[in-house]
Amino acid sequence: MGALCDFCGEQRSMVYCRSDAASLCLSCDRNVHSANALSRRHTRTLLCDRCVSQPAMVRCLVENVSLCQNCDWNGHSAGSSAAGHKRQTINCYSGCPSSSELSKIWAFVSDIPNVAPEPNCEQGISMMSISDSGVSNQDNAAGNSSLLDIASATLMSDLDTAGKPKSLIGSSSEAGVNLLPLATDQTAGSVDSTTAKVPYTADQDMFSKDSIYEDFCVDDVDLSFENYEELFGTSHIQTEQLFDDAGIDSYFETKEMPAGNSDEPKLMQPVTSNAVSADSGMSIPGAKGDSSLCIPVRQARSSISLSFSGLTGESSAGDYQDCGVSPVLLMGEPPWHPPGPEGSFAGATRDDAITRYKEKKKRRKFDKKIRYASRKARADVRKRVKGRFVKAGEAYDYDPLCETRSY
DNA sequence: ATAAGCTTGCGTACCACAAAGGTAG
DNA sequence: CCCTACCTTTGTGGTACGCAAGCTT
């Protein structure tokens, strides 16, 4: 039994709405997201079967579970016995699809309950769009059938441990499947599906050419993050709990940071503002886009470089890497590689990135750090006027030592 | 459909003063 | 090299305020 629906609190939550930062049962999902046009645009996806708190990104066909990126990485990391498991991307949807329509999209999910059609959603799947590519059925001349193609696409049977399809080219074109970058959250992110159209057709072998980036014609988008929840898709506490996972901690317990780590000072900075925690950069779940950052790499790089707090335009690649952002992602290296010697390099790079990310996550403190307890103690007992400290002996309106105000 | 007003949330300045840090003798 | 005195800088918390974004009318 998974977590209960955040809305009704009765049914088992099944889908995750990043815009609402809520886990919902299908019934409430339809109710909530049929309220108005805006809510219908919320993109949802399956809930991670493992952590039951994050949106699932992939479906492990071997274990038959849906996993968020963190759980996927943890469970299918290089060297683990599960590293070779076949995985399939899980697509987001918006609109108000019926349970049968969801069943078509998520054919691998056997227990989609029947949900009565919502009166406000008479358009049903006609309103539905797969946010993977910004390709909606309205845009897709192939209609619903291709929609399902998209939904079932990207069979990751040949994925290496970095989640990079090895034989993407062949499988995509041969099967007539529209293989597209992983899902973006069009509402949680600024990646507007209306502008982020990917002009891809099945006969375009975009993955086989060096011109891969040129084929992504996405307007430069603002990837600024509006709040922490949106960024992480969960609350601070939840996130910390997530990464307080004993498995993760135990994994790093014996590992020492190398001396002279250039990012050491930065690590000491409390991350209390809505500035983007660089940790997010690794998985960037909900980071105005999905964890897999399905926006084209080049665009992502340019946008992120302007949006990550503390990272200026002059920031070097090392800065980004220090922040845990995969150099693969940031430096324009494609998120996957064709089979070949480069693959192992990419895997190592990714492992390095994961290592940095986890180390940093372990060390990070989200609450305010008190450097001088004595000063805090002093401030705690200091008298104030409208929040400001006042000279000793002056009239004051707030005595922190008193239960009630003096004014 | 648009504009104006309202609400909400976030970031920051402000204050006094003890402690920390730096410098000179 | 160590110690002391002096000066400057830092950091601490509650509140008010400004701004921006979203929502309502």
Side-chain angles (χ1 to χ4, degrees):
Chain A
M1 188 68 178
L4 294 177
C5 170
D6 288 343
F7 193 77
C8 66
E10 296 173 357
Q11 301 296 319
R12 180 172 68 92
S13 56
M14 193 160 181
V15 300
Y16 185 89
C17 173
R18 204 185 300 281
S19 301
D20 295 329
S23 306
L24 302 168
C25 64
L26 285 183
S27 178
C28 290
D29 174 50
R30 287 181 60 79
N31 288 335
V32 169
H33 292 105
S34 62
N36 53 53
L38 195 63
S39 61
R40 272 194 288 273
R41 290 174 56 195
H42 289 184
T43 52
R44 289 94 73 193
T45 187
L46 279 172
L47 200 59
C48 175
D49 288 331
R50 194 150 291 173
C51 66
V52 204
S53 64
Q54 296 291 308
M57 299 298 304
V58 299
R59 180 80 178 182
C60 176
L61 301 179
V62 177
E63 299 172 68
N64 203 29
V65 292
S66 306
L67 300 172
C68 64
Q69 182 145 17
N70 279 309
C71 293
D72 178 39
W73 283 6
N74 288 336
H76 298 101
S77 59
S80 72
S81 58
H85 282 184
K86 293 182 179 181
R87 282 163 284 156
Q88 180 179 2
T89 54
I90 297 174
N91 294 283
C92 302
Y93 68 93
S94 60
C96 306
S98 68
S99 53
S100 62
E101 288 162 347
L102 284 176
S103 298
K104 292 177 186 174
I105 299 164
W106 295 330
F108 45 77
V109 181
S110 58
D111 55 344
I112 293 179
N114 283 328
V115 180
E118 194 63 29
N120 296 337
C121 277
E122 71 282 357
Q123 292 154 302
I125 202 168
S126 66
M127 279 296 296
M128 180 178 167
S129 64
I130 300 298
S131 60
D132 254 6
S133 56
V135 175
S136 67
N137 58 336
Q138 292 105 315
D139 302 318
N140 195 329
N144 287 348
S145 60
S146 64
L147 196 154
L148 294 177
D149 285 344
I150 297 166
S152 59
T154 322
L155 183 62
M156 300 168 80
S157 57
D158 289 328
L159 286 185
D160 64 15
T161 55
K164 299 183 286 292
K166 289 176 182 173
S167 57
L168 226 158
I169 302 161
S171 63
S172 62
S173 52
E174 288 165 14
V177 169
N178 288 343
L179 285 178
L180 296 154
L182 294 176
T184 63
D185 186 332
Q186 66 186 44
T187 51
S190 302
V191 181
D192 186 347
S193 65
T194 61
T195 59
K197 307 294 186 219
V198 178
Y200 176 77
T201 57
D203 55 355
Q204 280 180 284
D205 197 355
M206 61 188 291
F207 299 106
S208 64
K209 295 181 173 66
D210 291 336
S211 61
I212 178 171
Y213 305 123
E214 275 68 26
D215 288 333
F216 284 104
C217 299
V218 179
D219 295 338
D220 209 359
V221 293
D222 177 13
L223 282 179
S224 59
F225 304 98
E226 288 172 3
N227 59 46
Y228 194 95
E229 273 84 358
E230 203 166 3
L231 172 60
F232 287 95
T234 184
S235 69
H236 298 207
I237 296 173
Q238 287 172 319
T239 306
E240 289 205 83
Q241 287 172 341
L242 175 65
F243 291 105
D244 278 343
D245 182 317
I248 291 176
D249 281 351
S250 60
Y251 181 79
F252 293 102
E253 259 165 12
T254 58
K255 186 146 188 169
E256 293 295 328
M257 286 294 291
N261 190 336
S262 63
D263 65 347
E264 207 53 30
K266 280 178 277 185
L267 287 173
M268 299 304 291
Q269 304 274 345
V271 182
T272 54
S273 72
N274 67 344
V276 172
S277 156
D279 299 320
S280 62
M282 193 62 219
S283 61
I284 316 185
K288 292 291 200 175
D290 246 335
S291 53
S292 44
L293 253 192
C294 345
I295 51 177
V297 172
R298 204 173 45 175
Q299 294 292 349
R301 179 178 29 150
S302 63
S303 299
I304 289 174
S305 66
L306 296 174
S307 302
F308 277 97
S309 176
L311 297 180
T312 66
E314 290 78 34
S315 297
S316 66
D319 292 335
Y320 297 114
Q321 294 182 35
D322 288 344
C323 293
V325 180
S326 167
V328 173
L329 178 68
L330 291 166
M331 296 313 294
E333 190 175 345
W336 53 74
H337 293 269
E342 302 84 27
S344 58
F345 167 75
T349 305
R350 177 181 172 274
D351 287 343
D352 289 345
I354 294 174
T355 300
R356 278 197 306 275
Y357 160 68
K358 289 179 177 178
E359 286 169 350
K360 196 160 200 171
K361 182 65 72 178
K362 185 182 175 185
R363 297 157 67 96
R364 178 143 292 157
K365 298 257 188 302
F366 288 96
D367 45 83
K368 184 176 180 180
K369 182 181 181 181
I370 302 298
R371 293 177 60 191
Y372 300 103
S374 60
R375 291 179 179 180
K376 172 177 168 53
R378 180 67 188 176
D380 283 340
V381 300
R382 185 159 290 166
K383 294 177 175 62
R384 299 184 179 94
V385 175
K386 291 184 177 179
R388 297 180 179 186
F389 298 125
V390 296
K391 291 182 180 179
E394 288 189 359
Y396 56 89
D397 68 352
Y398 171 57
D399 185 347
L401 296 178
C402 297
E403 287 293 323
T404 58
R405 300 294 180 85
S406 55
Y407 57 81

